[in-house]
Amino acid sequence: MLGFFLNIVKLFRAIGYVFKQDEEFRILLFLLLTFLCSGTYFYWHVEGWSIIDALYFSVMTMSTIGYGDLVPTTTLSKSFTIIFALLSIGVFVAPMSKIVGIVIHLKKIRKAK
């Protein structure tokens, strides 16, 4: 359990480091949050899900996990989900790959010392 929390601390340090250093990352993070908020609002409003369910479904769709416990029921929601998935998956992956790259880079720097 301690290892989990140490990795979370490392993750937030890496995010802070990248956020300060990389303008592209800030733009990607803004896009990620915009997609997340718009997807959450859409599912909350159209499907009538709770905000936490709508947020959960948006994250599961963006991250391509898709457990299938929540499913869009209307044609409008299904159409939105197709477009949302196609656009948001790339927006989700891009900042995550930058974070992983920075974590690896910081680890190499620490080993070199």
Side-chain angles (χ1 to χ4, degrees):
M1 188 61 124
L2 179 62
F4 173 76
F5 287 113
L6 290 174
N7 282 326
I8 294 294
V9 169
K10 287 179 188 177
L11 174 66
F12 281 113
R13 281 187 186 158
I15 291 171
Y17 179 82
V18 177
F19 191 81
K20 291 176 190 172
Q21 304 295 324
D22 194 345
E23 182 180 357
E24 183 180 316
F25 178 77
R26 290 191 295 269
I27 293 168
L28 288 170
L29 192 61
F30 174 76
L31 281 172
L32 177 68
L33 293 174
T34 301
F35 270 86
L36 196 56
C37 290
S38 62
T40 300
Y41 177 78
F42 178 85
Y43 295 117
W44 169 69
H45 183 71
V46 173
E47 285 291 330
W49 295 341
S50 69
I51 289 180
I52 195 71
D53 282 344
L55 175 64
Y56 167 79
F57 185 78
S58 295
V59 170
M60 292 303 111
T61 302
M62 290 175 93
S63 62
T64 71
I65 294 172
Y67 288 123
D69 49 348
L70 293 172
V71 228
T73 56
T74 66
T75 302
L76 176 63
S77 294
K78 291 174 184 178
S79 301
F80 176 82
T81 302
I82 292 167
I83 295 165
F84 181 73
L86 289 172
L87 296 176
S88 67
I89 290 169
V91 172
F92 180 81
V93 170
M96 297 307 132
S97 67
K98 280 197 167 279
I99 291 169
V100 169
I102 290 298
V103 168
I104 291 169
H105 175 72
L106 293 174
K107 194 170 190 171
K108 285 180 181 178
I109 289 173
R110 286 190 187 111
K111 278 188 177 184
K113 290 182 180 180

